């Protein structure tokens, strides 16, 4: 019952953002990543989304994307896969999301010749076996009811030696089970990192922009809820990431 209510809250929040964000100011919704020793050069039109983009960017120094067939599962409002397509020139790119409103938004606001967006379920993907070189999943899987089915689908669609770039958070008491599922998914872990500190640093740096958007797009009585979803400093979400009640991980896996 608790997980059902949590999922309904997430779905309501994404629906609400689609309703009120008339000027398409919110194109990425993850909590971000910031390492002061790893500066990323961005064009000016990407600068407002720097910290959310950097969550994607921290993978790319390990796995090249140029001339690869890539898929993002849980692509949300499309800003992440659009940035990767524009910047790294993959052969093809597909963004898949469960929410049709997110897919429609992405199609309207992120148009590149080799980028497409599809509605789909992460646990039952409508993609061919061994059809993809790189799969990304960024801050999305914590919403999935069956993580094992999701990992099985990633394994199915990846080509041999293909890579899975995976970053998200789970409750601390879920991590051991999660690691067991990863160990049994048929993919080899190449890189593993706890990134709670980098996520908190991003939220610190990006706090004012997030608060300004909340004030602009939500009525006063929804500010507390919206600030929590956005990870504002001192919100419940922020505190859980800071004290590692939410364990935020980053993985690079390779299909054996």
């Amino acid at each position: 019952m608790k997980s059902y209510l949590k999922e309904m809250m997430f779905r309501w929040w994404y629906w609400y953002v689609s309703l009120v964000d008339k000027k398409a100011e919110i194109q990425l919704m993850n909590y971000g990543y910031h390492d002061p020793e790893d500066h990323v050069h961005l064009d000016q039109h990407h600068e407002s989304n720097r910290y959310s983009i950097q969550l994607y960017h921290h993978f790319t120094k390990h796995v090249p994307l140029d001339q690869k067939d890539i898929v993002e599962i849980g692509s949300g409002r499309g800003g992440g896969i659009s940035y990767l397509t524009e910047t790294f020139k993959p052969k093809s790119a597909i963004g898949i999301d469960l929410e049709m409103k997110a897919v429609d938004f992405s199609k309207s606001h992120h148009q590149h010749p080799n980028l497409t967006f599809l509605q789909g379920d992460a646990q039952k993907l409508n993609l061919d076996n061994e059809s993809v070189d790189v799969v990304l999943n960024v801050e999305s899987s914590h919403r999935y009811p069956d993580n094992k089915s999701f990992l099985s689908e990633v394994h199915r669609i990846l080509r041999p030696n293909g890579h899975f770039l995976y970053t998200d958070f789970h409750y601390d008491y879920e991590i051991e089970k999660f690691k067991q599922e990863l160990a049994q998914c048929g993919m080899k872990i190449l890189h593993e990192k706890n990134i709670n500190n980098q996520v908190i640093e991003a939220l610190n740096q990006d706090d004012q922009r997030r608060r300004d958007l909340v004030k602009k797009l939500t009525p006063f009585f929804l500010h507390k809820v919206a600030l929590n979803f956005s990870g504002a400093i001192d919100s419940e979400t922020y505190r859980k990431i800071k004290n590692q009640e939410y364990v935020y991980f980053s993985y690079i896996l390779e299909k054996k």
Side-chain angles (χ1 to χ4, degrees):
M1 185 64 174
K2 184 178 179 181
S3 61
Y4 172 80
L5 291 174
K6 183 179 178 182
E7 174 62 14
M8 289 301 100
M9 283 293 292
F10 273 114
R11 298 193 76 168
W12 175 86
W13 178 243
Y14 285 111
W15 169 84
Y16 183 79
V17 168
S18 298
L19 181 70
V20 300
D21 185 22
K22 304 298 185 183
K23 295 183 179 179
E25 295 178 83
I26 302 174
Q27 300 197 11
L28 295 101
M29 297 180 70
N30 68 65
Y31 292 134
Y33 178 98
H34 184 58
D35 182 345
E37 297 181 359
D38 188 16
H39 181 75
V40 175
H41 173 76
L42 296 177
D43 293 339
Q44 190 58 41
H45 68 285
H46 288 306
E47 191 61 42
S48 63
N49 290 305
R50 163 170 289 279
Y51 301 102
S52 290
I53 285 173
Q54 286 178 172
L55 187 57
Y56 287 82
H57 219 290
H58 85 281
F59 285 127
T60 58
K61 59 190 173 187
H62 300 288
V63 177
L65 302 180
D66 59 297
Q67 294 307 304
K68 299 291 181 64
D69 295 312
I70 72 172
V71 169
E72 181 179 13
I73 301 170
S75 55
R77 290 165 72 79
I81 190 74
S82 178
Y83 169 80
L84 295 175
T85 303
E86 176 185 339
T87 305
F88 297 104
K89 306 297 188 291
K91 181 180 178 182
S92 70
I94 301 172
I96 298 175
D97 201 86
L98 184 64
E99 302 294 338
M100 197 64 222
K101 284 185 178 295
V103 174
D104 289 340
F105 177 92
S106 299
K107 288 179 177 179
S108 297
H109 293 90
H110 305 294
Q111 297 177 356
H112 302 283
N114 55 344
L115 173 61
T116 58
F117 291 95
L118 304 172
Q119 193 275 338
D121 186 340
Q123 298 155 129
K124 193 174 182 180
L125 296 166
N126 188 24
L127 296 174
D128 292 337
N129 295 349
E130 299 187 355
S131 59
V132 179
D133 297 304
V134 179
V135 174
L136 297 104
N137 187 262
V138 174
E139 204 174 292
S140 178
S141 69
H142 62 273
R143 295 180 58 196
Y144 303 164
D146 185 354
N147 203 56
K148 287 181 70 173
S149 294
F150 161 59
L151 293 172
S152 176
E153 283 292 88
V154 171
H155 184 272
R156 180 182 67 79
I157 67 173
L158 271 176
R159 293 175 178 136
N161 304 313
H163 291 95
F164 179 32
L165 314 183
Y166 188 21
T167 184
D168 202 356
F169 61 90
H170 286 308
Y171 277 107
D172 52 1
Y173 57 80
E174 298 173 329
I175 289 299
E176 286 307 311
K177 178 185 176 185
F178 166 75
K179 287 187 175 183
Q180 289 175 10
E181 291 171 348
L182 276 187
Q184 297 167 2
C185 74
M187 293 179 278
K188 179 182 178 182
I189 296 173
L190 302 181
H191 183 80
E192 175 184 0
K193 186 176 182 180
N194 178 302
I195 60 170
N196 282 65
N197 291 340
Q198 289 84 354
V199 174
I200 283 294
E201 184 61 26
L203 290 173
N204 290 339
Q205 297 287 334
D206 203 26
D207 188 66
Q208 192 59 55
R209 183 187 71 91
R210 290 170 181 265
R211 289 179 183 274
D212 289 344
L213 283 170
V214 166
K215 289 178 183 178
K216 183 176 183 179
L217 297 176
T218 63
F220 179 77
F221 72 91
L222 286 176
H223 280 187
K224 184 176 181 180
V225 173
L227 287 169
N228 187 47
F229 272 105
S230 70
I233 291 174
D234 291 332
S235 66
E236 181 183 6
T237 293
Y238 178 93
R239 291 194 298 270
K240 285 183 175 179
I241 295 172
K242 188 172 184 178
N243 67 23
Q244 303 220 17
E245 187 176 346
Y246 288 159
V247 178
Y248 211 122
F249 54 80
S250 174
Y251 283 93
I252 297 176
L253 299 100
E254 183 179 46
K255 182 172 178 178
K256 299 175 182 177

